[in-house]
Amino acid sequence: MTITPPALSVFETLESEVRSYCRGWPAVFDRAQGARLTDEDGHSYLDFFAGAGSLNYGHNNPVLKRALIDYIERDGITHGLDMATTAKRAFLETFENVILRPRDLPYKVMFPGPTGTNAVEAALKLARKVKGRESVVSFTNAFHGMSLGSLAVTGNAFKRAGAGIPLVHGTPMPFDNYFDGTVPDFLWFERLLEDQGSGLNKPAAVIVETVQGEGGINVARAEWLRALQDLCHRQDMLLIVDDIQMGCGRTGGFFSFEEAGIVPDIVTLSKSISGYGMPMSLCLFKGELDIWEPGEHNGTFRGNNPAFVTAAATLDAYWADGQMEKQTLARGEQVEQTMLAICAEEPTAQFRGRGLVWGLEFSEPARASAVCARAFELGLLLETSGPQSEVVKLLPPLTVTPEELDEGLRTLARSVRETA
């Protein structure tokens, strides 16, 4: 398939230079269903990006679309601040019955705002309020959002520079395998905590992604996560897991930390929690941490009721019977086999991942962008990640069929060969 870039006109003349994804995918998209998008010229693309993980159940999922249309047609509440509504009640009851109670998770639910960074800001604010301390520890190559508090615990230098002011009260520590296994886990972190001369202010919390998505698909081992939780308990620090991209089933279990058997003090969710790609986020925390005063953390768009509707429908349709996790792990094995074959032919590449999030890293960073560009020409949407954009990132919908997954993986392999 040969694709001719469209005349983007108004996008180039009126829209800000800050736009990014459209530069790598020079098409004007018009329709989408399942794992495919169609541009205005009728070209079809297989989507292995899934809205940066916001479309785990595909585009315009028919089950969720039906629930949404029915709700709108009966004039259900759209905007509700934090008022009690039937849609919010249905979501909360479903979330408790389908997700929290079966996992014995003791969380209160907070609706902090529509985006992932809203949830992170709420988590950081709550941790500092509970502990009465300012410092928060994050990890090398972390990404937690683009607002100031979230940027302060983000590692990427380019994104941090966009803040325009000093980013304070955040301290980075080495992520799992940062030293290629040559240094014992948390040796530096624990030494700083215990040394009165280290200059490290006692942290209120530690924030971590179990799989660093934007950082390059860096996968933390289960034993590393358990050791981190133990360190937090011993040192009186709260453990925050940012599950914004890796939650909602991306790694297999609904929460990405389930495999490690840990129970974080605070969890942030967004991206695919609405199921349909609509803005929605949650900040979950243990009941004893709920020391907020009414209105102390607020926001106009916390009550996106159509998102509550599709979120509840998603949980009922995909998480009530336990099959989604099994399917995702099976699809992950399919990806892993292809990755093994690609790396056997391509000595400059290596891969890593879990469930249906995978990264293919090249020793020459520019190669990853070239692979993604060639994949687009062949009708496959892929993005890069990592501090130098050196990793090809795969985030297909969890509902992708085995045939679609095979098609996309064959296109990826072809793109690697044709950019050698």
Side-chain angles (χ1 to χ4, degrees), residues 210-251:
T210 66
V211 180
Q212 295 181 326
E214 298 305 309
I217 318 301
N218 305 311
V219 182
R221 293 167 296 138
E223 55 266 35
W224 187 86
L225 292 167
R226 288 192 289 269
L228 177 60
Q229 177 177 257
D230 181 62
L231 176 62
C232 288
H233 288 171
R234 286 187 284 107
Q235 296 287 346
D236 188 34
M237 303 179 297
L238 297 178
L239 177 60
I240 304 170
V241 167
D242 181 341
D243 235 3
I244 287 166
Q245 188 167 85
M246 298 304 155
C248 301
R250 176 55 57 180
T251 65

Side-chain angles (χ1 to χ4, degrees), residues 35-219:
R36 295 186 185 274
L37 292 93
T38 304
D39 69 19
E40 63 181 354
D41 295 321
H43 298 122
S44 177
Y45 302 81
L46 194 55
D47 184 4
F48 274 26
F49 182 63
S54 295
L55 295 163
N56 282 2
Y57 313 96
H59 296 268
N60 288 304
N61 183 293
V63 175
L64 312 185
K65 180 166 63 176
R66 184 71 264 159
L68 178 60
I69 290 172
D70 289 347
Y71 183 76
I72 292 171
E73 286 186 338
R74 73 166 185 82
D75 292 332
I77 298 291
T78 294
H79 180 272
L81 295 164
D82 69 356
M83 295 185 292
T85 65
T86 55
K88 184 197 281 188
R89 180 175 60 199
F91 167 73
L92 286 169
E93 290 174 346
T94 305
F95 190 68
E96 181 178 32
N97 293 332
V98 175
I99 301 300
L100 296 182
R101 190 173 293 154
R103 292 163 179 80
D104 197 26
L105 292 173
Y107 294 138
K108 297 289 288 292
V109 179
M110 175 183 179
F111 300 98
T115 71
T117 200
N118 291 134
V120 170
E121 296 284 357
L124 298 176
K125 184 190 287 189
L126 180 60
R128 288 168 170 142
K129 178 179 174 65
V130 168
K131 292 301 183 183
R133 303 192 290 265
E134 297 176 351
S135 177
V136 172
V137 165
S138 57
F139 291 95
T140 50
N141 292 312
F143 178 79
H144 295 291
M146 297 297 280
S147 52
L148 293 181
S150 300
L151 277 177
V153 290
T154 286
N156 187 284
F158 174 75
K159 292 180 171 64
R160 288 175 63 89
I165 62 170
L167 297 171
V168 297
H169 308 309
T171 303
M173 291 292 166
F175 191 71
D176 190 17
N177 204 39
Y178 188 72
F179 294 111
D180 298 320
T182 61
V183 177
D185 296 338
F186 308 115
L187 175 66
W188 174 241
F189 190 4
E190 194 148 21
R191 185 74 57 84
L192 291 178
L193 288 169
E194 294 175 351
D195 182 358
Q196 296 302 305
S198 71
L200 176 66
N201 293 330
K202 181 78 171 182
V206 175
I207 185 167
V208 68
E209 304 154 273
T210 66
V211 180
Q212 295 181 326
E214 298 305 309
I217 318 301
N218 305 311
V219 182

Side-chain angles (χ1 to χ4, degrees), residues 339 342-343 349-351 358-362 390-392 412 416:
M339 290 294 199
I342 289 174
C343 290
Q350 56 181 324
F351 73 94
W358 293 85
L360 183 63
E361 180 180 0
F362 292 92
E390 73 276 21
V391 178
V392 175
L412 170 63
V416 172

